[in-house]
Amino acid sequence: MDFKKIENIFLLAFVLLNIYLLVSFISRTDLQYATTNPTQDFTSDMRDRGIEYPQTLPEVESEVYYMQADANILLEENAESLKNQAGSVDSEGTLYISILTDPIELEGNPEDGFTEADRTLLDEFVNSSSVLFGDQYKYLRYDREGSRFIYSQMVNGIPVGDGTSEISFIYGSDGDIISYQQTYAGPMKEQGSSDELITAERAIEILFQNNELESGSKVETPILAYQRTLNLENLSMYGPIWLIPVTNSNDSEVFRVDAIDTNGRILSDPTNKPDLEEIDELEDTSDMQEPTEAEE
């Protein structure tokens, strides 16, 4: 028997086995590194493409509930109590549009920015008797495209960010606010069990992976919000989303990412707001509530 030949065969087999084990170890290490560091390549790629993004992202509760709002016409039922404005409620009783008797005069402008005094003035108006349920709303953002300040109804500390429960102050060409519009979802209650949220960083990554972020664009701080996911005759359901404002050289856009779907689902914008021309036409509408002076 050729023992030398057998020895060489075993030696070759041993060497091949070691090579196989080494390759397997390296592959597994790379996979583990990619799994435990999923954002490293994505943030590096964003920097390479000149995309700015916040270095500090919001920390929120890891779990939130779906919310239920029952159908209501609370705006229609209470509109007559408002002072110093002419207002009209739509046929469904869910949208109130107002023309103010005394315009709100602001110091700042969209080009140079608005001042703290401007925000304070709007905050005070929202919490006054001139706005229905105003204590439930807080400032969300300034919409440059629509030239409007947006206040959203707060639910468990989270704003409703889909337009179904917001107050919009229209910034006029003369620098004053002469009109606002309001929607109100009404009181909400928790439904089912809580759901775990994806992080704000993961939401930005989803946009990048889906080629929604152009080179040179700027990602603003994401906002955790609620969006209506189900609209029935007697009730509506709201689920959590991430609102992510993005600006570039041409325009600005607010993206919406499902805050629960870990696979990454980008949602469409459900907002259905009246055109500014429609608001202007309201000044001549005959069925509007006449403005009344505030009580002394």
Side-chain angles (χ1 to χ4, degrees):
M1 180 177 291
D2 191 348
F3 289 100
K4 185 66 175 178
K5 185 175 182 180
I6 294 175
E7 181 181 356
N8 289 336
I9 292 175
F10 273 107
L11 180 61
L12 178 62
F14 179 76
V15 171
L16 293 175
L17 177 61
N18 277 292
I19 293 174
Y20 170 77
L21 292 175
L22 178 62
V23 171
S24 298
F25 175 77
I26 294 175
S27 298
R28 183 168 300 179
T29 302
D30 290 342
L31 178 60
Q32 182 179 8
Y33 181 80
T35 302
T36 56
N37 297 275
T39 60
Q40 180 165 337
D41 289 341
F42 122 77
T43 55
S44 177
D45 289 344
M46 286 181 62
R47 285 194 297 268
D48 292 342
R49 294 178 55 181
I51 300 173
E52 297 182 41
Y53 59 92
Q55 298 302 308
T56 302
L57 295 172
E59 295 183 5
V60 297
E61 294 291 336
S62 60
E63 296 182 349
V64 298
Y65 289 86
Y66 273 82
M67 304 300 295
Q68 175 182 322
D70 295 331
N72 68 83
I73 53 171
L74 292 171
L75 292 179
E76 182 177 18
E77 292 174 344
N78 293 276
E80 292 184 1
S81 66
L82 296 173
K83 309 296 183 182
N84 294 329
Q85 57 196 284
S88 176
V89 181
D90 70 351
S91 59
E92 296 180 356
T94 58
L95 172 66
Y96 175 75
I97 301 179
S98 169
I99 304 296
L100 302 178
T101 302
D102 300 316
I104 302 174
E105 300 179 1
L106 303 181
E107 297 178 352
N109 57 71
E111 289 72 28
D112 302 324
F114 295 96
T115 66
E116 287 296 324
D118 293 335
R119 277 283 309 279
T120 299
L121 195 61
L122 291 175
D123 289 346
E124 291 175 348
F125 184 86
V126 168
N127 287 280
S128 73
S129 59
S130 296
V131 176
L132 296 173
F133 316 109
D135 59 342
Q136 299 181 34
Y137 293 76
K138 285 189 177 181
Y139 177 76
L140 181 66
R141 63 187 183 91
Y142 179 75
D143 176 17
R144 290 185 176 275
E145 183 179 0
S147 299
R148 61 195 187 111
F149 295 87
I150 300 176
Y151 282 71
S152 294
Q153 181 189 1
M154 303 298 293
V155 181
N156 287 353
I158 300 174
V160 177
D162 64 352
T164 61
S165 198
E166 72 177 22
I167 299 170
S168 296
F169 291 97
I170 311 303
Y171 182 79
S173 57
D174 58 356
D176 294 338
I177 292 176
I178 62 171
S179 173
Y180 76 87
Q181 62 190 55
Q182 180 179 7
T183 53
Y184 181 53
M188 296 193 190
K189 52 190 175 184
E190 297 175 353
Q191 290 295 314
S193 57
S194 61
D195 291 285
E196 187 173 353
L197 300 176
I198 65 172
T199 64
E201 187 175 40
R202 171 58 181 152
I204 295 175
E205 182 182 14
I206 289 170
L207 291 182
F208 183 72
Q209 291 175 338
N210 285 273
N211 298 317
E212 295 289 357
L213 302 179
E214 299 179 7
S215 297
S217 59
K218 181 179 180 180
V219 179
E220 306 291 346
T221 302
I223 302 170
L224 181 65
Y226 275 115
Q227 178 166 307
R228 186 166 62 185
T229 58
L230 179 66
N231 183 25
L232 302 177
E233 182 178 356
N234 296 323
L235 62 87
S236 295
M237 295 296 297
Y238 288 78
I241 64 169
W242 282 106
L243 293 175
I244 307 178
V246 177
T247 59
N248 53 52
S249 57
N250 297 321
D251 54 16
S252 60
E253 185 174 359
V254 178
F255 290 95
R256 298 165 183 271
V257 178
D258 191 316
I260 293 177
D261 189 348
T262 56
N263 293 324
R265 187 160 64 102
I266 301 175
L267 307 174
S268 59
D269 185 353
T271 304
N272 183 20
K273 49 185 178 291
D275 295 331
L276 298 183
E277 293 78 5
E278 178 182 341
I279 295 175
D280 293 337
E281 292 174 357
L282 285 172
E283 294 179 340
D284 300 324
T285 304
S286 59
D287 61 348
M288 290 183 67
Q289 172 191 332
E290 290 298 324
T292 58
E293 295 298 326
E295 297 178 352
E296 296 293 330

